[in-house]
Structure formats: C-alpha cells, structure tokens
C-alpha cells in the first residue's frame, strides 16, 4: 500500500472515530433528535383545503411553534372514521389524533389501553390548565382525563323567530316552565305555520326529558345503574311530549323531517321555531337575510319542569384530541395538541381561515378572498372559531372585515354560548364503563333503537303510554336487562 493511501486511510479512520465521539458526547449531553409526531385529523380542519402544498403550510406553522417534525394523515371527512379505525385496529396508532363521537368512543379506547392519561399533562400545561374544568367533567373516567376538546360543548336550544312572536303575542323567557312553553307556543297553532319544527332524530327529545329529570338510557342515578326509560320521570316526559303533539305545537310530521328541511322552514318563516345548535345562531342571521325573511331569534335555553328540573340538550364533548398510549414522544404530542387548541395564530389557521397569502388574501375592503390554489382545492373558510374556540378574540379588532350579517349576529352568538354554560343539561353517555358487562356492550345499540322507536310511537299516538311502556318492558326482559344492571352494579 502506498504512503498516500495509508495516510488517507488513517485520516478517514480518525474522522470516523471523531464523529462517533462527537455523537456520543451529544447523546450524553442530552442533545436529542427532533421528535416526530404522526397527527391524524379529517380535512374539514387543517386549513380546510385538500391541496398538499396548503396543508404543508399548516404543518410548517405547527412545526415552527413546537419544535417537532409532523407527519400528517388527513383523509376526507367522510372516510376519516374508517381510516382511523383501520390504523387503531392494526396497531399503527397515530401519536395524536381526533376522535369523533368522543363520549362513546373514548371510554372504549381507555378500556383497551389505547390512549394516554392526560390528567397531569393538562395540569402542568400553562395553556391547557387554564381551560374551564367543566369542559372535562362529562367524560372523566375514574377521575382521569384522556382528551382535550377544541371548542365549547355542543348544546341545543329552541330557536324562535322574534317577528312571529311579536305578530302572535308569544311571550317566553329564555327559561320558561313547561306550562308556559305549552301555553305560549299554542298561540302559533292554526296560523298556517308550524309552531315547533322538529327533526326525525329522536335523541333530540332529551331536551324535554331534562325538564322532568329523565334520561334516555342506562345511567348512574345516586350511585346505582338504572334503566332511565323505565322510570316515572320518563313517563312524565313522554306524556308531556304527547300533549305537545296533540295540541298541534310539535310538528305533526317530525318523523320524516330532516335537519335541513327543519332549518329551511324556519329561515323562510314557514315554521315559527326549531331546535338547533347554539353555535348555529349566525346561520339563522345569514339565511333569514338571504330568504328576505330576516328576523332576530329568541333562544329558549331550557324548559323548567314541575320539579324544577331542566337543561339544554347537552352533547358535551363530541370531538376531541387524544394521544396514543404507544407514542414515543408524549411530551411533544401534548405540545402539538396544546398549540393547535390554544395558539391564537395556529387555531384560526387550522380550524377556520387558513393562512393569509396561502389560503386567502384581503381585498381593498379587507374582505377574505380565497387564492386560486385554495379555491381549486375545495377551500371554504369558516368563522365559527370566533365564537367557539377557547381563545379570547377581539371581534372588533380583526385583520379582516366581517359582513354586515356577521357583525350583527356574531356578538349574539357569543352571548348565547356563554349564557348556555349555566343552563346545560346532564350528559350520561359515558356513565357505563366498557367491558364490565359483555351482555350490555352487545345489546346497547338495540336498547337505544328500541327506546327511540317506542318513544316515537307514544308521542304520535300509535300506542298509548301504558302500551308503549309494556312493550319496552317485554323487550327489556328479552335481553335479560335485570341481569345486565346486576353486572354493571357489581362494578360499583
């Protein structure tokens, strides 16, 4: 071997050794590689665009704020649930992901040890620890928190057109009694309009069940599991709803009414009222205006029953972020979660309007104008984050202009969301632990469908209250309901 070759080999060996020493020194000194986080969410977030470059701009913003490397998984909203189920069931669980139908799915994931207990992470986070504790109370499991919501709980109120209230002399507060509601709403009957339009989704009747202290389903009552459908409180609630139907107040065709049809009739004045999400107040402002039937809406937050019970239809946490129990970087995953939910720059970009210069520009009047790339990728910005997020946003000092309808409706929507916080009804959807009664887990869907079917038949008069309750009792015995309750209560 020549001297030059020996010298080159010696130098190369020394450089390799030096690199190894430096790398070892970095490892010993605590200099770690950048954590990589897999983030899964549907494309109705992430800047509301399907364009890879625009989604990449959102990723880059989050990475710059958190010091992480993010691998996003962003399937279409319609296929997100199936995609997530495939990932979870295969064991390839994303580090951080969004869960829909959180009240039922999160307890199952906890029972399967798929998601991380976030109690201490929330407590130790300067931003997350400031969130209202009430946001977590309906879905705590054994006193622990496994999720972080990204907006206020979804709740429903009864929207009543103020113009029709004035026309027919209807006077109701935001929290009337059951008798006041029935008496005043009867003034709309026979006037050529639907007094109270209601959709075919029977679970919305929980709004009225709350007025009588009833719950549609198996739940904890004074520390004991009971079947809420077989209680005197439920009988009282169904009798009241039946009376609203007989009086002509409740939409006589509610069993075939879609949400879209319910809203459209209220927008256009064909119906005096409907039940809807409080966060949809802006939609009523915009759509009554578009229909040349503009009116302010009066909201009934709850109807107080004879025993003082009452509360809005509280869907609690419907969508939330969770962290995989298998993640290699729990601290980094929580940091990304915290940033998405609480950062005043990231949240609007992620959930609402995207990034200026990428997703939109502002015209001379400060109106939001989608860029060509955004428009071609299905981008359609939303401003719901201005009222739904946990971020304190000054709507009078925005970088962009609001339409006149939004200027008028948005403060009202914010007002109603805040007022609803003190009028929420209960939510017992997560009361029953998963896996303690295999029999219950198997028949829970049929319990729900059967009680909703029988409730509908009682309300429209296909069967009497007594006949309906007898039919349900026979069903309950057929699934060995008493044994199910025994199994559930054995865990208490």
């Amino acid at each position: 071997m020549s001297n030059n070759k020996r010298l080159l080999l010696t130098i190369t060996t020394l450089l390799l050794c030096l690199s190894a020493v430096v790398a070892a020194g970095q490892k010993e000194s605590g200099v770690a590689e950048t954590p990589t986080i897999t983030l899964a969410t549907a494309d109705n977030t992430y800047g509301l665009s399907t364009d890879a470059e625009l989604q990449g701009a959102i990723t880059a913003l989050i990475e710059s704020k958190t010091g992480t490397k993010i691998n996003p998984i962003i399937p279409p909203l319609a296929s997100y649930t199936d995609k997530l189920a495939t990932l979870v069931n295969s064991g390839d669980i994303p580090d951080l992901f969004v869960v829909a139908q959180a009240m039922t799915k999160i307890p199952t994931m906890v029972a399967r040890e798929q998601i991380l207990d976030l109690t201490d992470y929330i407590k130790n986070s300067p931003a997350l620890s400031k969130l209202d504790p009430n946001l977590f109370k309906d879905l705590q499991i054994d006193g622990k928190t496994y999720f972080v919501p990204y907006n206020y709980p979804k709740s429903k109120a009864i929207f009543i057109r103020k113009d029709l209230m004035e026309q027919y002399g209807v006077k109701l507060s935001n929290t009337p009694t059951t008798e006041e509601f029935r008496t005043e709403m009867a003034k709309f009957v026979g006037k050529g309009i639907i007094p109270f339009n209601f959709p075919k989704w029977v679970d919305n009747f929980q709004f009225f069940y709350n007025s009588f202290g009833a719950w549609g389903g198996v739940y904890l009552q004074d520390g004991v599991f009971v079947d809420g459908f077989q209680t005197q409180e439920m009988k009282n609630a169904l009798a009241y709803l039946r009376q609203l139907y007989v009086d002509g107040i409740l939409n006589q065709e509610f069993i075939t009414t879609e949400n879209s049809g319910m809203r459209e009739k209220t927008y256009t004045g064909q119906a005096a009222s409907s039940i809807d999400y409080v966060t949809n107040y802006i939609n009523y402002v915009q759509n009554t205006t578009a229909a040349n039937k503009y009116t302010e809406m009066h909201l009934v937050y709850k109807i107080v029953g004879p025993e003082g019970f009452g509360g809005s239809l509280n869907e609690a946490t419907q969508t939330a972020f969770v962290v995989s129990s298998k993640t290699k970087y729990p601290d980094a995953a929580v940091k990304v979660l915290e940033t998405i939910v609480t950062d005043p720059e990231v949240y609007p970009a992620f959930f609402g309007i995207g990034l200026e210069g990428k997703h939109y520009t502002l015209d001379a009047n400060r109106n939001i104008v989608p860029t060509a790339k955004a428009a071609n990728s299905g981008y359609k910005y939303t401003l719901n984050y201005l009222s739904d997020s946990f971020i304190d946003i000054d709507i009078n000092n925005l970088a962009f202009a609001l339409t006149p309808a939004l200027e008028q409706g948005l403060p009202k929507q914010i007002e109603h969301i805040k007022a609803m916080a003190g009028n929420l009804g209960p939510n017992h959807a997560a009361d029953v632990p998963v896996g303690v009664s295999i029999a219950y887990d198997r028949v829970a869907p049929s319990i729900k469908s059967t009680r909703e079917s029988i409730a509908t038949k009682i309300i429209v008069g296909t069967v009497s209250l007594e006949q309906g309750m007898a039919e349900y009792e026979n069903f309950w015995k057929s699934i060995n309901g008493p044994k199910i309750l025994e199994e559930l209560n054995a865990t208490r």
Side-chain angles (χ1 to χ4, degrees):
M1 182 182 293
S2 68
N3 291 334
N4 288 338
K5 287 185 177 180
R6 287 194 185 95
L7 179 61
L8 180 60
L9 179 60
T10 301
I11 292 173
T12 301
T13 303
L14 286 173
L15 287 173
L16 289 172
C17 291
L18 180 60
S19 297
V21 169
V22 170
Q26 287 177 334
K27 187 174 182 180
E28 291 175 1
S29 65
V31 178
E33 63 182 31
T34 300
T36 299
I37 299 299
T38 303
L39 167 62
T41 182
D43 65 358
N44 67 328
T45 59
Y46 232 91
L48 287 78
S49 168
T50 58
D51 182 83
E53 181 181 334
L54 295 181
Q55 291 176 341
I58 301 293
T59 298
L61 174 64
I62 301 172
E63 289 176 338
S64 70
K65 295 269 188 175
T66 60
T68 60
K69 169 67 177 173
I70 295 175
N71 291 331
I73 301 173
I74 320 170
L77 176 61
S79 61
Y80 176 76
T81 298
D82 290 340
K83 174 68 174 178
L84 181 63
T86 300
L87 292 170
V88 171
N89 294 334
S90 69
D92 190 18
I93 306 177
D95 297 281
L96 174 64
F97 56 99
V98 172
V99 176
Q101 298 177 332
M103 293 295 290
T104 56
K105 290 185 178 178
I106 285 178
T108 301
M109 289 182 166
V110 171
R112 294 173 178 170
E113 299 182 341
Q114 293 170 326
I115 54 178
L116 190 67
D117 174 8
L118 298 178
T119 308
D120 289 338
Y121 290 96
I122 294 170
K123 179 181 177 181
N124 296 326
S125 164
L128 297 178
S129 62
K130 292 179 181 178
L131 297 181
D132 186 347
N134 289 324
L135 294 168
F136 305 98
K137 69 177 183 179
D138 287 321
L139 193 44
Q140 285 194 323
I141 300 171
D142 294 329
K144 298 178 180 179
T145 302
Y146 291 82
F147 70 102
V148 175
Y150 57 79
N151 53 21
Y152 284 103
K154 288 290 188 180
S155 59
K156 287 187 177 181
I158 296 176
F159 284 63
I160 311 178
R161 293 183 62 102
K162 280 191 175 182
D163 57 349
L164 294 180
M165 290 181 72
E166 293 171 0
Q167 182 177 348
Y168 297 110
V170 174
K171 300 183 184 301
L172 287 168
S173 70
N174 298 113
T175 58
T177 66
T178 48
E179 189 55 37
E180 288 170 343
F181 182 78
R182 180 187 170 203
T183 300
E184 291 300 308
M185 293 296 287
K187 295 177 180 178
F188 291 127
V189 175
K191 303 299 191 299
I193 55 175
I194 299 170
F196 178 32
N197 212 358
F198 197 88
K200 66 181 182 180
W201 311 108
V202 182
D203 50 1
N204 284 286
F205 281 127
Q206 184 62 49
F207 185 96
F208 293 92
Y209 298 167
N210 290 338
S211 303
F212 295 87
W215 176 259
V218 176
Y219 76 111
L220 273 175
Q221 183 183 61
D222 299 325
V224 178
F225 283 106
V226 300
D227 177 29
F229 199 77
Q230 299 183 84
T231 62
Q232 184 60 49
E233 290 83 358
M234 182 59 72
K235 292 178 183 177
N236 296 339
L238 292 172
Y240 179 76
L241 284 163
R242 169 61 182 160
Q243 192 61 56
L244 292 183
Y245 188 85
V246 170
D247 292 344
I249 294 170
L250 180 61
N251 175 18
Q252 303 292 286
E253 299 176 352
F254 75 85
I255 57 176
T256 60
T257 299
E258 299 286 351
N259 280 326
S260 57
M262 174 194 72
R263 291 170 178 143
E264 184 64 25
K265 282 185 168 57
T266 308
Y267 296 156
T268 57
Q270 298 174 70
S273 65
S274 55
I275 186 168
D276 214 334
Y277 292 108
V278 176
T279 50
N280 281 347
Y281 187 91
I282 290 174
N283 294 343
Y284 283 79
V285 171
Q286 293 176 310
N287 285 289
T288 57
T289 300
N292 293 318
K293 292 284 187 177
Y294 170 74
T295 181
E296 288 190 32
M297 304 299 298
H298 175 75
L299 267 59
V300 172
Y301 304 141
K302 65 181 179 182
I303 300 175
V304 182
E307 303 299 321
F309 293 109
S312 76
L313 179 63
N314 175 13
E315 294 191 2
T317 302
Q318 281 299 301
T319 310
F321 280 103
V322 296
V323 175
S324 168
S325 59
K326 307 297 184 184
T327 182
K328 291 171 56 180
Y329 303 107
D331 291 328
V334 173
K335 180 63 177 177
V336 172
L337 187 166
E338 173 192 86
T339 301
I340 293 173
V341 171
T342 65
D343 187 274
E345 182 181 7
V346 174
Y347 193 108
F350 195 85
F351 293 107
I353 57 177
L355 293 168
E356 185 176 358
K358 298 286 187 178
H359 296 76
Y360 69 93
T361 59
L362 299 178
D363 65 16
N365 296 316
R366 297 191 302 115
N367 295 313
I368 293 176
V369 179
T371 61
K373 181 179 286 290
N376 291 334
S377 67
Y379 167 81
K380 187 177 181 180
Y381 70 88
T382 174
L383 299 178
N384 279 357
Y385 77 89
L386 295 174
S387 61
D388 300 359
S389 72
F390 308 133
I391 301 169
D392 187 15
I393 299 173
D394 182 2
I395 61 173
N396 296 313
N397 190 30
L398 299 171
F400 53 86
L402 297 174
T403 64
L406 282 174
E407 285 183 345
Q408 188 171 25
L410 191 57
K412 284 283 186 181
Q413 177 162 303
I414 294 171
E415 175 188 321
H416 288 307
I417 290 173
K418 290 181 177 179
M420 188 59 87
N423 292 287
L424 290 174
N427 190 307
H428 297 288
D431 278 8
V432 181
V434 176
V436 300
S437 171
I438 303 303
Y440 176 80
D441 294 344
R442 184 181 67 252
V443 301
S446 63
I447 294 175
K448 180 179 186 295
S449 61
T450 299
R451 71 167 180 264
E452 291 183 352
S453 172
I454 291 175
T456 301
K457 290 193 287 187
I458 290 171
I459 292 167
V460 303
T462 305
V463 297
S464 68
L465 178 61
E466 293 73 20
Q467 290 169 332
M469 285 302 184
E471 180 181 341
Y472 184 86
E473 184 180 2
N474 289 334
F475 160 78
W476 184 250
K477 290 177 180 177
S478 74
I479 62 169
N480 206 358
K483 179 64 174 178
I484 288 174
L485 292 181
E486 183 180 322
E487 290 179 354
L488 291 174
N489 283 311
T491 66
R492 301 301 298 162

